[in-house]
Amino acid sequence: MPLLQVAGVAKRFGRVVTARDVSFDVAAGEALGLVGPNGAGKTTLLDIVAGTQRADAGRVVLDGHDVTRLGAAARAGRGVARSYQVPRPFAELTVYENVLVGASFAGRKHTGRTASRHSRAQAWHALEVAGMTEAANTPSGSLRLLDRKRLEVARALATGPRLLLLDEIAGGLSESELPQIVSLVRHLRDDGVAVVWIEHVLHALLDVVDRLLCLAAGEVIAQGDPHEVIRSPEVAEVYLGSTVESTRDPSPGPTSEGERA
Ligand SMILES: Nc1ncnc2c1ncn2[C@@H]1O[C@H](COP(=O)(O)OP(=O)(O)O)[C@@H](O)[C@H]1O
Ligand SMILES: [Mg+2]
């Protein structure tokens, strides 16, 4: 049984259709890449899986349990964690404190002193995995972009996820910074965490994902083997005739600029 099943999901905001009969599965420990033009509905789809947005139709099934009607907190309790396209740490808290917030949230099943000891251990472990222990006491507001991205991953990891949802975690990074994020995501996948990764930086994505799904105007236009999906005429067309090479380094949109600011 797949870890995640998304079946027939539909979603619209007024006249904008962000999902039209979207279906896909993710196996335990598998990495699925999610691509598509801006406005395709990728982030909204991640929201629907995480439970921060409710689908108009269709089902989200985790480990065989229908979680369609569960909220984000309940889904987090079942092992779903996500990072945001624009990192939003508590700027005045240190890196460690930010990660501890995530760990404490996930550690609610423990009580009293056990809870805090457990949370601290989880938080520190997440920092180690994300390679951020040296920045543990740095105020999060003063981090460079790469470290803000790593902190996003560490915060999600501190909840002990089985399914990690990543939204443009590589966006805005330089070519020399990319391998660090790529190897982090690969490490998590190899460690058994299932990953759904939205990313415009295709070569980073293709270094990690087992399968690729392309969304355009809310519709799945291709899914399967990553290289076959990239080469398919449908996918080439939505990228307006641009080649895979030219999508390597998309000009930064308003969001990327915002992230750098
Ligand atoms: N909360 C919202 N209210 C209204 N429209 C929204 C909302 N969230 C997203 N949209 C619209 O839905 C479409 C898909 O957005 P999004 O899922 O963010 O796409 P992507 O992540 O693929 O760029 C866009 O046209 C966006 O403006
Ligand atoms: Mg998005």
Side-chain angles (χ1 to χ4, degrees):
M1 181 201 304
L3 175 64
L4 170 70
Q5 292 170 274
V6 171
V9 160
K11 177 76 178 172
R12 60 194 302 162
F13 295 107
R15 259 181 279 166
V16 178
V17 175
T18 73
R20 192 195 302 271
D21 196 21
V22 171
S23 299
F24 65 92
D25 289 350
V26 181
E30 183 184 37
L32 174 74
L34 192 50
V35 295
N38 282 332
K42 304 181 297 298
T43 296
T44 306
L45 192 54
L46 228 55
D47 288 335
I48 288 169
V49 172
T52 47
Q53 287 278 359
R54 205 55 62 92
D56 301 330
R59 296 187 308 137
V60 177
V61 179
L62 263 178
D63 248 353
H65 300 281
D66 191 323
V67 298
T68 313
R69 290 171 190 285
L70 294 185
R75 294 191 203 184
R78 288 172 179 264
V80 180
R82 71 166 297 175
S83 77
Y84 284 90
Q85 193 167 344
V86 181
R88 45 180 104 157
F90 298 110
E92 66 286 2
L93 297 188
T94 65
V95 164
Y96 174 70
E97 288 165 339
N98 261 291
V99 176
L100 192 57
V101 172
S104 306
F105 173 75
R108 282 170 310 164
K109 37 190 178 296
H110 300 271
T111 53
R113 214 172 268 180
T114 323
S116 49
R117 202 185 311 128
H118 181 79
S119 301
R120 287 198 300 267
Q122 284 258 93
W124 192 256
H125 180 66
L127 285 182
E128 282 177 340
V129 172
M132 288 207 75
T133 51
E134 280 174 28
N137 295 318
T138 305
S140 304
S142 65
L143 295 175
R144 62 186 170 139
L145 184 66
L146 174 63
D147 286 336
R148 272 186 283 150
K149 299 277 189 178
R150 280 180 175 153
L151 174 56
E152 271 301 285
V153 178
R155 286 211 299 164
L157 278 187
T159 67
R162 290 184 302 150
L163 174 63
L164 181 60
L165 310 172
L166 300 172
D167 199 350
E168 297 195 24
I169 201 75
L173 297 181
S174 69
E175 284 294 322
S176 63
E177 292 169 328
L178 279 175
Q180 305 189 55
I181 282 291
V182 167
S183 61
L184 174 56
V185 180
R186 191 190 292 120
H187 170 81
L188 297 173
R189 194 273 317 271
D190 292 347
D191 219 31
V193 179
V195 176
V196 179
W197 184 5
I198 296 175
E199 193 54 74
H200 282 300
V201 188
L202 269 180
H203 66 103
L205 198 60
L206 294 176
D207 269 352
V208 178
V209 297
D210 304 298
R211 280 188 303 126
L212 198 60
L213 185 153
C214 182
L215 202 64
E219 288 191 71
V220 178
I221 58 166
Q223 66 173 313
D225 174 79
H227 291 95
E228 282 175 23
V229 167
I230 289 300
R231 279 192 228 105
S232 75
E234 294 84 359
V235 173
E237 191 174 331
V238 300
Y239 280 103
L240 295 170
S242 64
T243 64
V244 171
E245 283 308 301
S246 70
T247 56
R248 278 174 77 116
D249 188 17
S251 59
T255 309
S256 313
E257 289 298 320
E259 282 172 5
R260 284 224 177 263

